[in-house]
C-alpha cells in the first residue's frame, strides 16, 4: 500500500494513471470556476466582538467558510509546523512508514489517494499523514519522532489550534444564542490533525487532490501553503478558489455544525485541484467529537415554527453514513445544497 504513495512515483509519469482519472463531469477542466467571488476574511485582532461575531455567522450562513487573520497563532509556529510536515513527506518512504507504524491500533496513519466516500470511483492525487492530537494526549507516544522536533512543534501547534477552535466555537455559540459551554467537553474531545501533500500533477484537468466533499465534523481549521491555490468552495453552482493569505487560517463548518444549528450554518462542499508545477502542503485540524456524542439540532435553535430538520444520531453513525452513502446522505437528510 505505502509504496503507492503518490509522491514516490509521480515524478516518473508524464500522464495521470487511469485509476486517477475522474469521470468527465467531475473533472476540474469541465467545471465552472468563479474567480470574482472571495471567501470572507475576518480580523480577530479587532476589538469589536459583536462585529466579529456577526461576520462569523453571516460567513458561515452564506459560504460555510471564512478566513481568519490576527488569530493569535504566531507566524513562526505556523512556518515551523508546515516545514516539519514538508520535511516528513520528503523523508525516504521506509522512514515515513516506520515513523507512522508505532501504534498497533493504527491511530497514526500514512495513506494515499483516499477519498471520503466508498462511492468514489477514482483515486486522489495526494499523500496524507493523520493522527489524533491534544487533548487526546495518550496518542502522542505513537506520533512520528522524525524529523527532529516533530512532537514538540506539532504538539504546540495543535494545542494552540485547540484554543483557537474553542474560541471560534464560543463566538459562534454567542452569535446563535447557544449555551456558551455548548461545545466544551465531548463535542470537541477528539481532534485530529492531517498533513496533506499534493505533489505536482502532469494533467491537473483530469484528476483531483481531494474529492468534492463536506467535512462531517464540527469545524475544520486549515493552513494553506502560501502562493498556491488548490482549495475550492462550491457556491451557487460554481467553484470559488480560496486564495491563500500568508499566516491566515481557512475555517469551515462541518456537517455536524449544520445539524446542530438546524441548517442555519452550512457545511459547504469543497474540493482540491492540483497543479503541474509545485507541490502543495496543507495542515487540516479537525475538531471532532467522541464517536458516541449525539448529534442533533440544539434545543435553543428549534421551536414550533422551526422544527428539527435532522433526526438525532451518534457521530459514529454520521461518519459511517458519510463514508458509505457520500453526498447522497446529506440529500437524504434534506440538505438542499446541490452537489457538483
Ligand atoms: C480536508 C480538506 C483541503 C486542502 O482535509 O478535509 O478539505 O486544501 N483539505 O487540503
Ligand atoms: Ni475538507
Amino acid at each position: 500500500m505505502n509504496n503507492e504513495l503518490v509522491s514516490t512515483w509521480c515524478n516518473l509519469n508524464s500522464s495521470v494513471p487511469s485509476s486517477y482519472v475522474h469521470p468527465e463531469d467531475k473533472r476540474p477542466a469541465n467545471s465552472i470556476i468563479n474567480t470574482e467571488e472571495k471567501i470572507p476574511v475576518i480580523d480577530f485582532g479587532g476589538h469589536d466582538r459583536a462585529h466579529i461575531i456577526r461576520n462569523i455567522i453571516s460567513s458561515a450562513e452564506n459560504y460555510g467558510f471564512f478566513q481568519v487573520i490576527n488569530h493569535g497563532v504566531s507566524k513562526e509556529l505556523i512556518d515551523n509546523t508546515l516545514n516539519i510536515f514538508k520535511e516528513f513527506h520528503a523523508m525516504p518512504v521506509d522512514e515515513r512508514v516506520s515513523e507512522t507504524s508505532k501504534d498497533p491500533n493504527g491511530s497514526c496513519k500514512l495513506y494515499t489517494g483516499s477519498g471520503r466516500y466508498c462511492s468514489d470511483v477514482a483515486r486522489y492525487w495526494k499523500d496524507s499523514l493523520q493522527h489524533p492530537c491534544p487533548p487526546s494526549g495518550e496518542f502522542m507516544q505513537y506520533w512520528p519522532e522524525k524529523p527532529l522536533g516533530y512532537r514538540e512543534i506539532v504538539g504546540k501547534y495543535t494545542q494552540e489550534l485547540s484554543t483557537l477552535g474553542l474560541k471560534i466555537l464560543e463566538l459562534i455559540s454567542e452569535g446563535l444564542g447557544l449555551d456558551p459551554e455548548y461545545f466544551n467537553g465531548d463535542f470537541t474531545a477528539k481532534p485530529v490533525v492531517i498533513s496533506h501533500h499534493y505533489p505536482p500533477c502532469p494533467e491537473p484537468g483530469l484528476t483531483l487532490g481531494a474529492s468534492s466533499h463536506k467535512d462531517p465534523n464540527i469545524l475544520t481549521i486549515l493552513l494553506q501553503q502560501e502562493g498556491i491555490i488548490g482549495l475550492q468552495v462550491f457556491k451557487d453552482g460554481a467553484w470559488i478558489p480560496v486564495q491563500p493569505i500568508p499566516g491566515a487560517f481557512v475555517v469551515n463548518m462541518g456537517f455536524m455544525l449544520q445539524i446542530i444549528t438546524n441548517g442555519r450554518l452550512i457545511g459547504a462542499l469543497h474540493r482540491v485541484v492540483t497543479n503541474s508545477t509545485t507541490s502543495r502542503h496543507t495542515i487540516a485540524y479537525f475538531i471532532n467529537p467522541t464517536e458516541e456524542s449525539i448529534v442533533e439540532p440544539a434545543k435553543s435553535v428549534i421551536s414550533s415554527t422551526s422544527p428539527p430538520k435532522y433526526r438525532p444520531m451518534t457521530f459514529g453513525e454520521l461518519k459511517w453514513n458519510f463514508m458509505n452513502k457520500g453526498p447522497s446522505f446529506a440529500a437524504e437528510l434534506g440538505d438542499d445544497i446541490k452537489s457538483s
Side-chain angles (χ1 to χ4, degrees):
M1 174 66 190
N2 285 302
N3 58 8
E4 291 177 13
L5 290 172
V6 177
S7 53
T8 60
W9 51 260
C10 64
N11 287 342
L12 310 169
N13 284 50
S14 57
S15 62
V16 171
S18 58
S19 56
Y20 287 81
V21 175
H22 285 256
E24 295 242 3
D25 61 330
K26 303 271 190 244
R27 292 182 197 165
N30 296 344
S31 50
I32 303 168
I33 313 288
N34 178 358
T35 50
E36 299 293 303
E37 202 157 352
K38 289 199 162 45
I39 299 306
V41 178
I42 304 181
D43 185 352
F44 273 21
H47 295 295
D48 187 346
R49 187 177 170 95
H51 178 73
I52 293 174
I53 292 175
R54 270 197 309 278
N55 276 345
I56 292 179
I57 301 297
S58 74
S59 309
E61 284 174 337
N62 294 310
Y63 295 83
F65 267 82
F66 58 88
Q67 301 214 52
V68 53
I69 57 170
N70 295 322
H71 40 62
V73 183
S74 77
K75 185 74 167 56
E76 188 189 356
L77 180 59
I78 289 176
D79 290 346
N80 288 346
T81 313
L82 194 62
N83 284 337
I84 207 104
F85 282 130
K86 278 187 188 172
E87 283 172 39
F88 174 87
H89 288 284
M91 290 195 313
V93 67
D94 294 353
E95 233 170 332
R96 274 182 273 170
V97 171
S98 64
E99 287 300 312
T100 48
S101 309
K102 298 173 195 205
D103 183 1
N105 293 319
S107 64
C108 185
K109 301 181 178 68
L110 176 65
Y111 55 95
T112 184
S114 146
R116 290 284 151 139
Y117 309 130
C118 294
S119 56
D120 284 341
V121 290
R123 299 173 68 80
Y124 296 91
W125 200 265
K126 72 166 166 193
D127 296 339
S128 302
L129 159 66
Q130 165 178 347
H131 57 68
C133 44
S136 326
E138 73 271 24
F139 291 105
M140 218 167 197
Q141 60 180 307
Y142 303 122
W143 288 13
E145 287 168 287
K146 288 185 196 161
L148 201 67
Y150 182 99
R151 289 188 183 174
E152 191 193 334
I153 292 171
V154 177
K156 185 154 196 329
Y157 179 83
T158 49
Q159 192 75 58
E160 294 209 5
L161 276 255
S162 162
T163 306
L164 176 63
L166 287 174
K167 177 176 170 182
I168 297 171
L169 289 171
E170 187 188 300
L171 295 168
I172 289 177
S173 305
E174 199 170 320
L176 296 176
L178 299 176
D179 175 351
E181 305 276 298
Y182 193 87
F183 294 104
N184 298 351
D186 282 358
F187 275 179
T188 47
K190 296 282 176 187
V192 165
V193 68
I194 308 186
S195 149
H196 294 298
H197 173 208
Y198 304 95
C201 171
E203 296 174 289
L206 299 182
T207 193
L208 286 165
S211 57
S212 160
H213 70 279
K214 294 168 189 236
D215 296 349
N217 56 321
I218 297 205
L219 198 76
T220 306
I221 307 180
L222 182 84
L223 179 81
Q224 305 198 81
Q225 179 175 341
E226 291 171 24
I228 308 162
I229 302 181
L231 175 63
Q232 299 179 336
V233 177
F234 194 67
K235 182 172 184 287
D236 301 333
W239 293 96
I240 305 174
V242 183
Q243 195 85 41
I245 302 173
F249 290 114
V250 179
V251 178
N252 69 283
M253 314 310 118
F255 197 66
M256 181 168 163
L257 197 55
Q258 179 172 328
I259 295 179
I260 288 170
T261 62
N262 208 25
R264 180 163 167 195
L265 306 189
I266 57 169
L269 268 178
H270 53 286
R271 69 178 188 183
V272 176
V273 297
T274 61
N275 76 82
S276 59
T277 53
T278 324
S279 258
R280 174 172 177 266
H281 290 262
T282 62
I283 311 169
Y285 177 83
F286 293 89
I287 300 179
N288 285 352
T290 60
E291 296 281 304
E292 304 76 33
S293 294
I294 304 288
V295 185
E296 62 184 334
K299 302 275 175 293
S300 56
V301 303
I302 54 176
S303 64
S304 54
T305 50
S306 173
K309 292 183 186 163
Y310 309 97
R311 67 174 171 83
M313 68 191 89
T314 62
F315 182 64
E317 192 188 344
L318 175 69
K319 261 194 341 197
W320 187 90
N321 276 295
F322 248 74
M323 237 154 60
N324 289 281
K325 297 184 182 168
S328 71
F329 174 60
E332 187 184 304
L333 288 175
D335 189 356
D336 56 0
I337 301 164
K338 300 257 177 328
S339 166
S340 163

